[in-house]
Amino acid sequence: MFDDKLHTMTLSEDGSFTAYSKEYDEHYHSTKDGALKESYVKHVIPAFHTLKDRDEVSILDICYGLGFNTLCTLLYYKKYSSQTKLKIYSPELDASLIESLENFTYPKEFEIFREIILTLSRQNIYEDENLYIEIFVGDAREYVKRFSNKFDIVYQDAFSPSSNPILWTYEYFQDIKNAMKVEGVLTTYSIALKVRLALYENGFNLYLNEGEEYRTATIASRQKLQGLKEVDMQHKISCNLGVNSLKDNEI
Ligand SMILES: C[S@@+](CC[C@H](N)C(=O)[O-])C[C@H]1O[C@@H](n2cnc3c(N)ncnc32)[C@H](O)[C@@H]1O
């Protein structure tokens, strides 16, 4: 059984299961957009579309949770770029959640990754010729400080800023920026002004991730990106005087 004192499995709109966290009083994914769809359209597709061809891709997946962003990345990678070396690094505070994932009901698209799911759930590391995946069981804030100029992609997929603010502050994004390559790209479901300000104040340009069948999300990059609608942050700031980015000392 996956369900326990802290989590219950919930069916989302696209037919895939997500989970509800009693501790954070929040679902792991948007139940309206659907767990599988949210992961694919808000993170994996926009991230890979903005990357130029490269031999090796390093991803920081904040946070592992049920592993949808990592597993969707494997789906994409298998279909479009299986020659690329892929390295995924993912912190997750909840050790018992990771252990229970072998009993989670994943979408049928993930059946081909059963061995990877089992290995990650039991050993927190999976490795083969082209693939390295590491789940760090611990605090993401500490973990990201280990890296400098490493990541091509960051999936920023923590619980919401209101329920888990420590993973959305100005200082947090400072560490994320340091961990990323200059040409790296960050994806997040959040469109909150405070979050965008925290990224903007760290030198990120902000873009809309829009589609007809899902709620708008955000793409951030320090280099200018082509073909995306940029968020006019100067305009937002002038219309919202008094709104500030979250700071560590306010939490
Ligand atoms: C919204 S869920 C992540 C969903 C995940 N990306 C997926 O696709 O299934 C947020 C996760 O962040 C974890 N978490 C909360 N605070 C954390 C922290 N400080 N460090 C690492 N993980 C944390 C929670 O345990 C939860 O699993």
Side-chain angles (χ1 to χ4, degrees), residues 141 144-145 147 170-180 202:
R141 285 295 301 260
V144 300
K145 291 186 206 294
F147 303 100
Y170 169 80
E171 292 85 351
Y172 166 75
F173 284 119
Q174 211 169 24
D175 290 340
I176 291 286
K177 170 179 146 182
N178 184 50
M180 289 173 75
N202 273 300

Side-chain angles (χ1 to χ4, degrees), residues 24 27-29 39 61-69 91-94 97 138-141 157-159 164 166-167:
Y24 291 90
H27 284 101
Y28 280 68
H29 301 91
S39 183
D61 182 8
I62 303 274
C63 303
Y64 192 81
L66 308 175
F68 271 68
N69 292 342
E92 172 53 59
L93 207 50
D94 188 345
L97 173 69
D139 184 5
R141 285 295 301 260
D157 195 23
F159 282 125
N164 199 7
I166 199 74
L167 296 182

